[in-house]
Amino acid sequence: MSDALQKTITLLLLIGLGLLLKSKFKNKDQTNGIKEIILSVALPSTIFISLMKIEIDSSMIIIPLVTLVFNFLMFFSAPLAFSLFGIEKNSPTGRTMMMLIPSLAPGLSCFPFIAEFLGEKSLAIAALADVGNKFFVLISLYILAMNMFLKNSDDKETKMGGKLKSLFASMFQEPINLLIFLAIILLSLGINYSSLPFVVTEIFDKTSAMMTPLVLLFIGLAVQLKEGKKRIVASILFFRAGITMIISAGMIYVLHITDLSMILLAIVIPLSAASFWPLAHISAFNLREDAKGLPKEKRTFDLELAVLLLAFSLPFSTILILAILSSGSFFAHTSTLLTSGMIFIVLGALPNALSKVFVKMSKA
């Protein structure tokens, strides 16, 4: 049995252990506590170590910029899904999809597997890439949500400047972002990981060691099998994965990426689960509409769909990323990526197409 396969089985068993422990974590606050430890302690420590162990130069500024370009490409590609799923662009469902499809949350769904399969240098590059994504989900998507809300409700009272200032403040208060900037400052001063005091490196090493098992247990605990709009959620996730693979193939070709690790990074980072931040923006505007007593069909966003999409996005992305990383160089060819992307898009469109066929047959 290959090392990659053994590693994949081990990681899947840890997710399975999380599933088995779901009955012990009936209180949502308990699961959120594990998530907070991951995002505030284990993951920041791991990324700090990875950044401090590599040489960063000014040319690496292109990494977050490339991710930001990807976010916008996904955003402008999202309307392609509307005709496939029979969704109105200016409906609550359409606006919700525009918010969630281009967002990424690599912290829980991608970083642990990059660390395990590709190593610390690749994780450091992935952390830099997420800086561009953070600006997109925090700033660009908030402005988008604000614009959608104002168009839908004609609300002129919201002060965008104050909200954006608050978002910038929250971004720089996150431990993961603080440690990324701290690492960049230390490296620019010529201080690397081996230069730090032993006590400091020990703390980071011990807290970093918790990341992978905690993340995998959390994924198992967080998997939700709720009834609801599962058909449209599955369709969106398959479409999102498909269009992501096609855009990744294009970027690999245009940027002439040839290193296997960099190719795999260009594939798996965009396949990360949808981000929580769009849901936070959606929830904020939904509260304003609650105060006005607006019915669901007149709301700016579909909050139920957003929650369900996030719930299924994490395990869906985890399975895809694990499959790609454990397959070695199989997906490292643009032809394979393009073919896989088209297959996923077809799978996403299939339920809606079949339902139309059944409707026509029933009327005949």
Side-chain angles (χ1 to χ4, degrees), residues 1-7 9:
M1 189 182 294
S2 68
D3 290 341
L5 184 56
Q6 291 183 65
K7 186 174 290 187
I9 292 171

Side-chain angles (χ1 to χ4, degrees), residues 30-45:
Q30 294 175 310
T31 308
N32 286 339
I34 295 175
K35 180 181 177 181
E36 193 60 39
I37 292 172
I38 294 167
L39 295 178
S40 298
V41 181
L43 184 58
S45 293

Side-chain angles (χ1 to χ4, degrees), residues 150-161:
L150 293 176
K151 283 184 177 180
N152 188 59
S153 63
D154 294 325
D155 188 331
K156 305 297 182 184
E157 298 177 2
T158 304
K159 294 181 180 178
M160 187 178 291

